[in-house]
Amino acid sequence: MTNPQIDYAAMAAQWRAERETTLKASRAELLAQLRALGISEVTAEYEGYGDSGNVEDVIVQPAEVQLPDPLVTAVGDFAWSLAYHHHPGFENNEGGHGTLTWDIAADSITLDHADRYVECSHSYDEGL
C-alpha cells in the first residue's frame, strides 16, 4: 500500500536536482584533470540490458596519452551517470546503448543513445 502523504513527483524532482548537482561537480573535477593531461576528447561507449550494464570502453585523444586507471574509472562512472540521468532505466529489459563524446577544449558533450525494445503484433480472429 502506498502512503498517500508522499509526493512522488516532488521526490523525483528532488532526486533529479541532486543528480544534476553531482554531475556538474564531477564534470568540473574531471574536466580539470583531463585538461591537465592534455586530453582533447573523450569517447565512452556504454551498454545496458537485463537490469545491468557498464561502460565498455573509454578512449581519449590524443591516443598516446594513457589515463591512470582511477581516472578511467571516474570518467566511465561519469559517462554512465550522465547517460542514466538523461535516459533513466535504459539498462532494464532489452536495454539501451550509446556513446558519450566529450570535447574537452569546448567542454561540450554529445550523447548518442539508442533504446532497444521488443515489438509485438497481435491479432485475434474468431469464428472464421
Side-chain angles (χ1 to χ4, degrees):
M1 176 177 226
T2 60
N3 182 345
Q5 301 301 315
I6 296 175
D7 184 347
Y8 289 102
M11 208 163 57
Q14 178 184 350
W15 290 341
R16 183 168 180 80
E18 289 170 359
R19 281 194 315 270
E20 286 174 356
T21 299
T22 300
L23 284 168
K24 186 176 181 178
S26 295
R27 182 176 182 160
E29 183 179 321
L30 290 171
L31 186 65
Q33 292 178 45
L34 294 166
R35 283 180 174 166
L37 291 171
I39 302 299
S40 61
E41 183 179 88
V42 173
T43 304
E45 304 278 339
Y46 60 91
E47 173 81 28
Y49 58 90
D51 301 334
S52 65
N54 60 340
V55 172
E56 301 290 323
D57 209 1
V58 173
I59 301 166
V60 298
Q61 295 299 326
E64 59 272 4
V65 177
Q66 286 288 331
L67 292 184
D69 286 341
L71 189 52
V72 171
T73 300
V75 169
D77 290 347
F78 173 75
W80 181 269
S81 296
L82 188 68
Y84 194 87
H85 181 67
H86 289 279
H87 302 278
F90 76 84
E91 80 288 3
N92 294 320
N93 302 318
E94 284 67 43
H97 60 96
T99 303
L100 175 142
T101 305
W102 190 357
D103 178 333
I104 300 301
D107 186 22
S108 175
I109 295 176
T110 301
L111 191 62
D112 184 6
H113 179 86
D115 287 313
R116 294 186 199 91
Y117 64 93
V118 172
E119 185 174 329
C120 184
S121 176
H122 178 87
S123 65
Y124 178 79
D125 300 310
E126 186 175 319
L128 299 174

